[in-house]
Amino acid sequence: MSILTILQFPDPKLRQKAAPVVSVDDSIRTLVDDMFETMYSAPGIGLAAVQVNVLKRVIVIDISEDKSQPKCFINPEIVKRSGDEKMDEGCLSVPGIYEPVSRAKEITVRYLDRDGNAQELAVDGLLAVCVQHEMDHLDGKLFVDYLSEMKRNRIRKKMEKIRQHTM
Ligand code: K2U
Ligand code: ZN
């Protein structure tokens, strides 16, 4: 297994759109395993393939305290959403920034699991937030896009300054 490099905002590669997975084969399962290892090492509770510069519709999530609930969603689609809830969000591609974002409170998501089986799952709470956050990544959307332009520019400048100092 490998720890992959996580793209950092404002890298334009984070704005790429991922393509559907045609066949859930061993190469996809290796990607999933590498994404879990990368996510746990960050540490984070979610990761989308676009964040590691892979343009496939794959996300991994584990909101448990003890890495006991790994969930992989391939070609995820939200088929039902209800309510709305505001929650502070962070992102491994925008480290150190946490801002409130409104999203659907409950969602039902259809996806393929790591064996290629079709699944449907109704979720709420942090898991629902995370699924929506990661699915945005697959379309090149970041949680900072829900903030004001002024806030987003301030975050962009901060990240660029950090990047210059670490080069
Ligand atoms: O996309 C990512 O970078 C993963 C996020 C998942 C997340 C998004 C929104 C709200 C919570 C989590 C990272 O895990 S952000 C780091 C983090 C870790 C634990 C709890 C909250 C945020
Ligand atoms: Zn993120």
Side-chain angles (χ1 to χ4, degrees):
M1 293 217 274
S2 310
I3 292 181
L4 308 172
T5 301
I6 297 175
L7 299 172
Q8 298 293 293
F9 177 75
D11 191 326
K13 293 194 288 293
L14 282 167
R15 297 308 188 171
Q16 302 174 103
K17 190 169 168 60
V21 169
V22 176
S23 164
V24 182
D25 57 16
D26 287 346
S27 69
I28 296 295
R29 281 182 279 273
T30 299
L31 170 63
V32 165
D33 293 344
D34 289 349
M35 287 176 64
F36 272 119
E37 185 175 8
T38 303
M39 178 189 78
Y40 287 133
S41 77
I45 58 174
L47 190 67
V50 171
Q51 289 180 276
V52 290
N53 202 24
V54 174
L55 303 188
K56 294 187 187 300
R57 300 190 77 80
V58 177
I59 62 178
V60 296
I61 292 174
D62 187 341
I63 62 169
S64 70
E65 296 287 323
D66 57 357
K67 303 182 186 175
S68 61
Q69 294 169 32
K71 294 180 177 349
C72 143
F73 299 84
I74 299 167
N75 298 342
E77 291 173 53
I78 295 176
V79 294
K80 218 181 289 177
R81 46 167 61 86
S82 65
D84 65 76
E85 188 162 59
K86 189 175 269 196
M87 193 186 282
D88 273 2
E89 298 193 13
C91 183
L92 296 175
S93 296
V94 193
I97 304 293
Y98 295 89
E99 290 287 344
V101 174
S102 286
R103 297 193 188 264
K105 191 171 182 337
E106 290 104 8
I107 60 171
T108 299
V109 54
R110 270 191 204 140
Y111 61 98
L112 300 179
D113 62 19
R114 62 176 288 135
D115 299 319
N117 299 317
Q119 304 289 350
E120 183 170 299
L121 185 65
V123 295
D124 62 4
L126 180 57
L127 186 52
V129 170
C130 219
V131 169
Q132 294 173 83
H133 176 110
E134 302 312 333
M135 285 184 66
D136 270 353
H137 275 299
L138 299 182
D139 291 326
K141 196 170 175 79
L142 301 172
F143 84 102
V144 296
D145 297 338
Y146 295 95
L147 309 179
S148 68
E149 189 174 355
M150 186 176 72
K151 260 194 183 175
R152 189 165 46 259
N153 288 338
R154 199 184 314 146
I155 293 167
R156 180 184 292 109
K157 287 190 177 68
K158 181 180 174 186
M159 297 295 290
E160 284 168 347
K161 194 181 268 185
I162 292 168
R163 183 177 160 78
Q164 279 154 16
H165 290 162
T166 52
M167 283 175 83

